[in-house]
Amino acid sequence: MNLMKKLVLFDFDGVLINSEMFYLDFWSKNLSIHNIFFSEKDLIGKNNIQFLNQFDFTAVQIENLIFEKQKAETNFFKNAIMDDSLKLLIKLLSKHLTIAIVSNNSQSNITNFLVNNDCFNFFNQIVSNDSGLKPKPNPEMYLKAILLHQIKKEETLIIEDSPIGFESAKKASIDFVEFNFMNLDISINKIYRKLNINK
């Protein structure tokens, strides 16, 4: 165990859950109605407002689209299953370190997913999009997380998968691991090696 690290902050989407295809499918269906087409690059790492502000929607249209997405999300996150190797990682880390989630997603979506997978109690904290803090790439949520735990930056490790997450970690001056769900085993092993943990 690397005693230099005391706190591990997990991003949620693309790290603890492979949710990108859900979002891509939802937005593709709902924006094609408005003759709007986009690339995956336009979507990854952005919250609802950041994503929709790229297009010429009115405030009312944005509100309606977000409402429809929230309904679909509730069902998705209540039923999504966490990968077994990720669950093992979380259980192991929770025995030795403080672990938390810092995400542009909502508290309710994250909680639904964790409860469904019997993992809620492993995490000490969730800092989410509805916490009133500025979303990533602003570093505010990460800085708030370490402040709440009273743990130094150099004692913290961030697990991120997206460019805006990397930017947020860099702006916060906190060490981070680049996670790729498409190479899940490699990504998980990177975390073990970074923390000097034997499985």
Side-chain angles (χ1 to χ4, degrees), residues 22-35:
F22 162 76
Y23 294 125
L24 191 62
D25 182 61
F26 175 86
W27 287 123
S28 295
K29 288 177 180 176
N30 283 272
L31 296 194
S32 63
I33 298 169
H34 300 276
N35 292 315

Side-chain angles (χ1 to χ4, degrees), residues 140-157:
E140 194 170 76
M141 290 199 292
Y142 279 124
L143 295 175
K144 180 68 172 179
I146 65 170
L147 179 64
L148 289 171
H149 287 101
Q150 298 184 328
I151 292 176
K152 298 175 183 177
K153 291 181 180 183
E154 58 268 27
E155 297 173 327
T156 304
L157 180 66

Side-chain angles (χ1 to χ4, degrees), residues 84-100:
D84 287 339
S85 56
L86 273 171
K87 190 177 287 191
L88 179 64
L89 170 70
I90 289 163
K91 287 181 179 179
L92 180 59
L93 293 188
S94 68
K95 293 177 181 177
H96 302 283
L97 301 162
T98 300
I99 63 173

Side-chain angles (χ1 to χ4, degrees), residues 92-111:
L92 180 59
L93 293 188
S94 68
K95 293 177 181 177
H96 302 283
L97 301 162
T98 300
I99 63 173
I101 294 172
V102 177
S103 173
N104 279 352
N105 210 318
S106 70
Q107 178 93 19
S108 61
N109 287 340
I110 297 167
T111 299

Side-chain angles (χ1 to χ4, degrees), residues 11 43-51 102-105 129 133-143 158 160 162-174 176:
D11 180 38
L43 176 61
I44 291 177
K46 295 181 177 69
N47 65 22
N48 294 330
I49 298 298
Q50 289 169 328
F51 174 64
V102 177
S103 173
N104 279 352
N105 210 318
N129 184 55
L133 301 170
K134 294 176 182 175
K136 304 170 194 176
N138 191 289
E140 194 170 76
M141 290 199 292
Y142 279 124
L143 295 175
I158 290 171
E160 270 287 359
S162 70
I164 70 163
F166 306 150
E167 184 180 346
S168 181
K170 289 174 184 176
K171 286 179 177 177
S173 300
I174 298 174
F176 66 96

Side-chain angles (χ1 to χ4, degrees), residues 39-70:
S39 70
E40 191 172 352
K41 188 177 178 181
D42 298 321
L43 176 61
I44 291 177
K46 295 181 177 69
N47 65 22
N48 294 330
I49 298 298
Q50 289 169 328
F51 174 64
L52 292 174
N53 278 342
Q54 299 174 108
F55 312 110
D56 190 25
F57 285 119
T58 66
V60 172
Q61 286 176 314
I62 289 175
E63 185 179 339
N64 289 337
L65 283 165
I66 291 175
F67 176 75
E68 291 301 320
K69 178 171 173 275
Q70 286 170 341

